[in-house]
């Protein structure tokens, strides 16, 4: 390509600085602002040239200036005016030239100055159009045609390479789309971000190849012509800026790739936003970067001014129309988001934004347009770059917050091995996830707000944080955050270890475990709160020495005044740790036997067989007898008469157990076969045989009652006598072993004869009569048996 003149090179390099502003304004629906780029460079020189070309009699003008400089008064006034204007132009914020110096009237001065600048700009545009209408257009159409077809050819080659390259990348883009869509719920945003970055990188490579091809073709098409080379350079500059902006828009909305969309939009909505933003970018980009500077190079400043205004107005009108058409779409999305919000303030804010967002966007676009036409060389670059940085900051903040929500918003997974040891660890851990996520979102929002305030030069919070007070506050916040995180981790680890140590059952914790967890949770919580509060106060510069001394004195006073309660609590803690009592157990405590209904850290409530509830403090407990641990025994002592056969009795005991073990109601309650140790005692009136049946805990009484019933039935069936209290008369024996004769007959009392007759059916007597010779009762020694 031919060499470019120095003045044109300076113009192009000056224009290069506005590319980020142009790109951002287009991306943020502020495309009209870029159209005014035509008058950025050489503003003073262009104005001077226009003024010079519009006036006749240049010599008279210099004569007037000479007379002005000769007059001391007018010369001083001119110097003062120039100094004031110079001070106003040096403001980086782009304040209007009509701003007054008095701070009390600053608002009125800015408003009047802005109105004056706008009216002056409109008047300048009107004058340009008027001069064009009066003088007409004097254009060398042959030269214009030569430059136009070469420019079109260079752009055609660039777009041809671009289209072919994108066609070749259809396969990789489809694979990236499938990769993003195959992601799970937890890592969807991460995969989408990776796929979008890869798609953007591929698009950038294709765009770079197209630009290189266009540069090579431009060097050949220019054929050494300086003007043609300059216009081709402007065209390629516009091409790269426009296509980079359109690549960003196409990557963000991805109308043809649902998996690569950064926004949850339908295909029609994606095409709508991508289409009209690409149109605005294409129109304003080529108009502001290529067409207007090319006209200015031909020294047609009035025409360039008119074309720039036309491009800006058309872009602004098209932007308004698209915003108005999209108002319902965005309103519906914001209202749906408001309905999902659980915060009333956020829901109200979304509803309000949904009703007014299009007006705010149109006002912003109009404001950028006004800044562009009034201060294109001062304020427009600042507004464009500030808007671009705002979008980047807010976008990154939203993306990071959304990714964290997807990663931990649905809960933190816990390994299965750890979950078996601590079943409630995941539940406790995920209880704090929403709070942590909310705090992280607030921090991200604060950092993003600081960034936005900084890029708009409102408040430089980062500079303040770099100062001594800012560093102190930042260090205190970081230290406090670390302390809170450590306290939370200690809390989770401690409660998890307690659960793993005490939980022997898989599933829901027992009453004992719940009591212990409640006790230790409260104790650890109190300790952590006190320690954390002390550390935080120390970080904030508070002297915690008096607080520690006061807490020690208070603890000592409480310890002396509540000794009994302390004893109850300590004893209760050890009883719970040793798993001595659980709710529902049948226990004997302090001489009271019953069912434990309520168990606290200080006392136990027992209901006995009569229904009475006994509340027993643990300080009164010396021995705990629990009938509900692992297994139980029914221990029975069964007595038989001395004349009975012991082996026959044991056989009947086993037969009774066999029938009991075959009963479906009692079979699940019996753990082992019956155990009969043998004769345990030769008592006064019976031979005692012990039988033991191993049962499930708490069922020994029901099993024992059923077994006793069967033993009585089997003993009666076998004729085995079970001794019971009765009277036996013994008359002794003769030397030969025979019993002496006894003549027994009843003596009846006439007064009670009727009573004996009526009660004879209910009363029984048993009289053992010694047999005489021949089986007859002896005739001598009558025996009188008195009535009881």
């Amino acid at each position: 390509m031919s060499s470019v003149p120095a003045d044109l090179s300076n113009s192009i390099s000056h224009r290069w600085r506005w590319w980020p502003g142009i790109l951002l304004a287009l991306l943020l629906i502020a495309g009209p602002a870029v159209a005014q780029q035509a008058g950025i460079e050489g503003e003073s020189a262009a104005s001077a040239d226009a003024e010079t070309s519009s006036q006749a009699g240049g010599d008279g003008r210099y004569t007037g200036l000479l007379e002005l400089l000769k007059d001391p008064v007018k010369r001083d006034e001119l110097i003062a005016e120039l100094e004031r204007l110079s001070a106003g132009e040096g403001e980086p914020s782009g304040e209007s030239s009509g701003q007054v110096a008095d701070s009390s009237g600053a608002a009125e001065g800015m408003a009047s100055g802005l109105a004056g600048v706008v009216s002056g700009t409109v008047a300048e545009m009107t004058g340009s159009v008027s001069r064009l209408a009066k003088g007409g257009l004097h254009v060398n159409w042959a030269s214009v045609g030569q430059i136009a077809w070469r420019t079109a050819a260079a752009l055609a080659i660039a777009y041809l390479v671009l289209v072919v390259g994108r066609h070749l990348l259809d396969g990789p883009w489809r694979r990236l789309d499938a990769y993003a869509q195959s992601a799970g719920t937890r890592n969807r945003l991460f995969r989408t971000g990776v796929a979008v970055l890869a798609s953007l990188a591929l698009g950038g490579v294709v765009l770079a190849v197209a630009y290189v091809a266009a540069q090579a073709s431009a060097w050949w098409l220019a054929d050494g012509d300086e003007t043609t080379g300059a216009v081709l350079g402007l065209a390629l500059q516009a091409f790269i800026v426009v296509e980079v902006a359109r690549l960003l828009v196409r990557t963000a909305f991805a109308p043809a790739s649902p998996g690569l969309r950064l926004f949850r939009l339908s295909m029609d909505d994606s095409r709508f936003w991508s289409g009209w933003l690409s149109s605005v970018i294409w129109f304003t980009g080529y108009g502001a970067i290529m067409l207007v500077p090319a006209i200015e190079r031909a020294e047609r400043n009035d025409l360039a001014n008119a074309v720039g205004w036309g491009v800006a107005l058309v872009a602004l009108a098209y932007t308004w129309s698209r915003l108005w058409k999209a108002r319902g779409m965005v309103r519906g999305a914001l209202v749906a988001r408001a309905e999902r919000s659980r915060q009333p303030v956020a829901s109200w804010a979304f509803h309000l934004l949904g009703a007014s967002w299009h007006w705010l966007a149109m006002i912003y676009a109009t404001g950028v347009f006004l800044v562009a036409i009034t201060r294109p060389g001062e304020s427009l670059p600042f507004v464009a770059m500030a808007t671009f940085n705002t979008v980047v900051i807010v976008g990154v903040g939203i993306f990071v917050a959304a990714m964290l929500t997807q990663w931990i918003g649905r809960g933190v997974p816990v390994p299965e091995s750890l979950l078996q040891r601590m079943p409630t660890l995941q539940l406790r851990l995920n209880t704090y996830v929403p709070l942590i996520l909310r705090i992280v979102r607030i921090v991200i929002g604060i950092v993003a707000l600081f960034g936005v305030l900084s890029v708009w030069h409102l408040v430089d919070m980062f500079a303040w944080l770099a100062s001594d007070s800012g560093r102190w506050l930042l260090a205190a916040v970081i230290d406090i955050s670390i302390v809170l995180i450590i306290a939370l981790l200690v809390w989770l680890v401690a409660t998890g270890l307690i659960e793993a140590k005490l939980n022997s059952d898989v599933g829901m914790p027992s009453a004992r475990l719940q009591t212990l967890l409640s006790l230790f949770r409260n104790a650890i919580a109190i300790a952590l709160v006190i320690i954390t509060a002390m550390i935080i106060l120390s970080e904030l510069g508070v002297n915690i020495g008096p607080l520690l001394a006061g807490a020690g004195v208070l603890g000592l006073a409480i310890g002396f005044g509540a000794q009994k309660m302390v004893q109850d609590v300590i004893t209760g803690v050890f009883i719970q740790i040793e798993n001595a009592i659980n709710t529902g157990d049948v226990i004997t405590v302090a001489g009271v036997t019953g069912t434990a209904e309520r168990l606290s850290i200080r006392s136990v409530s027992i209901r006995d067989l009569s229904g009475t509830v006994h509340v027993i403090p643990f300080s009164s407990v010396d021995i705990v007898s629990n009938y509900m641990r692992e297994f139980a025994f029914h221990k029975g002592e069964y007595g038989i008469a001395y004349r009975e056969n012991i082996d026959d009795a044991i056989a009947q005991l086993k037969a009774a157990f066999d029938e009991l073990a075959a009963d479906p109601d009692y079979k699940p309650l019996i753990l082992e076969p019956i155990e009969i140790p043998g004769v345990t005692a030769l008592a006064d009136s019976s031979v005692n045989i012990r039988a033991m049946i191993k049962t499930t805990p708490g069922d020994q009484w029901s099993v024992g009652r059923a077994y006793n019933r069967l033993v009585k039935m089997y003993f009666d069936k076998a004729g085995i006598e079970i001794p019971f209290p009765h009277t036996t008369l013994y008359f002794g024996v003769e030397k030969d072993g025979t019993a002496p004769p006894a003549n027994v007959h009843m003596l009846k009392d006439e007064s009670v004869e009727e009573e004996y007759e009526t009660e004879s059916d209910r009363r029984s007597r048993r009289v053992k009569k010694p047999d005489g010779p021949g089986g007859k009762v002896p005739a001598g020694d009558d025996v009188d048996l008195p009535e009881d």
Side-chain angles (χ1 to χ4, degrees):
M1 185 175 179
S2 61
S3 61
V4 182
D7 57 343
L8 182 60
S9 176
N10 294 333
S11 175
I12 294 175
S13 62
H14 181 73
R15 198 175 306 276
W16 179 273
R17 295 184 301 168
W18 309 123
W19 283 11
I22 294 172
L23 173 61
L24 177 54
L26 296 173
L27 290 176
L28 293 181
I29 320 174
V34 185
Q36 195 61 23
Q37 185 69 14
I40 294 178
E41 75 280 14
E43 182 179 3
S44 301
S47 300
D49 292 342
E51 185 68 22
T52 303
S53 62
S54 65
Q55 293 185 4
D59 295 339
R61 181 180 178 187
Y62 292 129
T63 302
L65 180 60
L66 181 61
E67 294 295 333
L68 178 63
L69 293 176
K70 288 182 178 180
D71 189 346
V73 177
K74 293 182 179 181
R75 184 173 64 249
D76 293 340
E77 292 178 357
L78 177 59
I79 293 174
E81 183 67 15
L82 290 175
E83 289 178 350
R84 186 183 67 81
L85 291 176
S86 177
E89 291 176 355
E91 292 293 332
S93 61
E95 295 178 352
S96 64
S97 60
Q99 181 180 9
V100 296
D102 189 5
S103 59
S104 62
E108 296 181 1
M110 290 179 64
S112 61
L114 180 60
V117 172
V118 171
S119 61
T121 306
V122 173
E124 181 182 354
M125 187 273 296
T126 305
S128 298
V129 174
S130 177
R131 287 190 292 272
L132 287 174
K134 292 179 180 180
L137 293 175
H138 302 285
V139 179
N140 187 354
W141 293 108
S143 300
V144 171
Q146 289 292 328
I147 295 175
W149 80 261
R150 286 178 168 83
T151 303
L155 292 177
I157 293 173
Y159 278 105
L160 178 61
V161 175
L162 190 62
V163 171
V164 172
R166 289 174 179 172
H167 179 71
L168 294 176
L169 291 178
D170 283 342
W173 276 332
R174 282 196 298 268
R175 284 192 288 271
L176 289 174
D177 183 40
Y179 170 78
Q181 292 189 25
S182 63
T185 305
R186 190 178 295 274
N187 60 348
R188 185 186 64 84
L189 263 182
F190 176 76
R191 280 201 174 191
T192 302
V194 172
V196 166
L197 290 178
S199 174
L200 187 62
L202 293 176
V205 171
V206 173
L207 184 58
V209 172
Y211 180 76
V212 171
Q215 280 281 19
S217 63
W219 177 82
W220 176 72
L221 290 170
D223 196 21
D225 185 71
E226 182 178 337
T227 302
T228 303
V231 175
L232 288 174
L234 293 174
L236 295 182
Q237 183 178 343
F239 168 78
I240 193 65
V241 171
V242 168
E243 291 308 320
V244 166
R246 294 178 68 186
L247 175 63
L248 293 175
V249 171
R250 187 165 51 252
T251 303
F253 292 98
S257 303
L260 300 180
R261 290 174 194 160
L262 295 178
F263 307 99
R264 294 184 178 180
L265 299 175
S266 64
M267 182 175 294
D268 294 337
D269 294 341
S270 297
R271 287 177 176 174
F272 171 80
W273 289 100
S274 178
W276 82 263
L277 285 175
S278 296
S279 300
V280 171
I281 290 172
W282 194 92
F283 179 74
T284 55
Y286 280 106
I289 301 176
M290 183 187 72
L291 185 58
V292 172
I295 297 175
E296 285 182 344
R297 175 167 178 77
E299 298 183 355
R300 304 291 183 176
N301 294 329
D302 291 335
L303 180 59
N305 194 16
V307 170
W309 266 86
V311 170
L313 290 175
V314 170
L316 180 62
Y318 183 71
T319 300
W320 282 352
S321 66
R322 296 293 90 187
L323 291 174
W324 185 259
K325 183 177 181 180
R327 69 187 188 282
M329 179 197 315
V330 179
R331 183 191 301 118
L334 291 175
V335 170
R337 180 65 181 84
E339 297 297 333
R340 294 194 305 268
S341 178
R342 299 181 181 179
Q343 301 294 331
V345 176
S347 178
W348 172 82
F350 280 118
H351 277 291
L352 180 62
L353 186 60
S356 59
W357 79 270
H358 54 287
W359 296 111
L360 297 176
M362 294 169 70
I363 291 173
Y364 177 78
T366 305
V368 175
F369 171 78
L370 293 177
V371 170
I373 65 173
T374 55
R375 291 290 181 181
E378 298 172 0
S379 300
L380 178 60
F382 170 76
V383 171
M385 289 306 300
T387 306
F388 176 76
N389 293 330
T390 300
V391 171
V392 172
I393 292 171
V394 174
V396 170
I398 293 175
F399 182 79
V400 172
M403 185 173 294
L404 289 175
T405 302
Q406 284 195 352
W407 278 350
I408 64 175
R410 299 180 182 272
V412 178
V414 177
E416 188 65 26
S417 58
L418 189 59
L419 194 60
Q420 291 179 357
R421 297 179 57 194
M422 294 176 281
T424 60
L425 176 61
Q426 186 170 8
L427 179 61
R428 289 199 310 271
L429 183 61
N430 292 331
T431 301
Y432 302 99
V433 168
L435 177 61
I436 296 174
L437 194 58
R438 187 176 303 173
I439 294 175
V440 172
R441 286 175 176 172
I442 292 174
V443 172
I444 292 174
I446 292 175
V447 174
L449 178 62
F450 287 173
V452 171
L453 294 177
S454 178
V455 299
W456 286 96
H457 291 181
L458 298 176
V459 178
D460 194 353
M461 294 299 300
F462 297 106
W464 180 80
L465 289 175
S467 62
D468 294 337
S469 57
R471 285 197 299 270
W472 175 84
L473 179 61
L474 187 61
V477 171
I478 293 175
D479 293 342
I480 291 173
S481 301
I482 294 175
V483 169
L484 292 176
I485 293 173
I486 293 176
L488 179 59
L489 292 177
V490 170
W491 166 254
L492 293 175
V493 171
T495 53
L497 291 177
I498 292 171
E499 181 183 6
K501 182 69 176 178
L502 300 177
N503 188 28
S504 58
D505 299 327
V506 177
M508 293 301 296
S510 62
R512 161 181 163 269
L513 180 58
Q514 293 177 357
T515 304
L516 283 175
L517 284 178
S518 176
L519 169 68
F520 284 105
R521 181 170 58 248
N522 294 336
I524 294 174
I526 293 173
L528 283 178
V529 168
I530 294 176
I531 295 174
T532 304
M534 292 297 179
I535 295 176
I536 291 176
L537 291 176
S538 177
E539 288 292 333
L540 295 178
V542 178
N543 185 10
I544 62 174
L547 295 177
L548 294 176
V553 174
L554 181 62
L556 186 62
I558 293 176
F560 277 111
Q563 295 184 29
K564 199 68 174 178
M565 181 178 294
V566 172
Q567 184 180 358
D568 291 340
V569 172
I570 293 176
T571 306
V573 168
F574 283 100
I575 287 177
Q576 294 294 338
I577 290 176
E578 295 171 359
N579 195 17
I581 303 174
N582 278 336
T583 302
D585 288 353
V586 179
I587 60 174
T588 298
V589 171
V592 178
T593 300
T595 303
E597 289 192 342
R598 188 182 64 84
L599 193 64
S600 67
I601 199 59
R602 181 182 172 273
S603 63
V604 58
S605 297
I606 300 177
R607 187 180 297 274
D608 61 15
L609 291 178
S610 63
T612 304
V613 176
H614 305 268
V615 179
I616 302 173
F618 284 125
S619 59
S620 303
V621 176
D622 294 328
I623 299 175
V624 176
S625 301
N626 196 319
Y627 303 96
M628 306 289 289
R629 285 292 178 267
E630 297 181 4
F631 60 88
F633 277 101
H634 162 65
K635 185 184 74 171
E637 300 284 344
Y638 300 96
I640 61 175
Y642 271 90
R643 69 183 182 185
E644 304 296 344
N645 187 283
I646 296 176
D647 293 336
D648 292 342
I650 292 176
Q652 296 303 320
L653 291 174
K654 291 182 178 180
F657 173 79
D658 292 339
E659 182 177 345
L660 179 67
D663 191 330
D665 293 335
Y666 294 98
K667 183 177 181 179
L669 308 180
I670 299 174
L671 300 179
E672 294 180 1
I674 189 171
E675 180 182 352
I676 302 178
V679 176
T680 58
L682 298 174
D684 293 339
S685 59
S686 65
V687 177
N688 296 336
I689 302 174
R690 177 175 296 170
M692 300 182 67
I693 302 175
K694 190 174 184 179
T695 67
T696 54
D699 297 315
Q700 61 267 36
W701 297 288
S702 62
V703 171
R705 289 190 295 270
Y707 184 66
N708 290 338
R709 169 180 169 274
L710 292 175
V711 168
K712 176 65 170 61
M713 293 173 57
Y714 273 81
F715 275 12
D716 290 346
K717 183 178 178 180
I720 298 175
E721 180 184 2
I722 300 177
F724 61 92
H726 58 277
T727 302
T728 301
L729 297 179
Y730 179 65
F731 297 101
V733 295
E734 298 292 344
K735 290 184 177 181
D736 57 0
T738 59
N743 184 16
V744 179
H745 59 89
M746 302 296 294
L747 297 178
K748 297 182 180 178
D749 189 353
E750 296 295 338
S751 62
V752 296
E753 181 178 359
E754 184 178 357
E755 179 181 356
Y756 275 101
E757 290 177 351
T758 58
E759 294 184 0
S760 60
D761 295 336
R762 294 182 291 106
R763 302 181 59 185
S764 62
R765 293 174 176 271
R766 184 179 179 186
V767 180
K768 187 174 182 180
K769 305 174 182 179
D771 296 335
K776 298 181 180 179
V777 179
D781 293 339
D782 294 340
V783 178
D784 296 334
L785 185 62
E787 299 294 335
D788 292 335

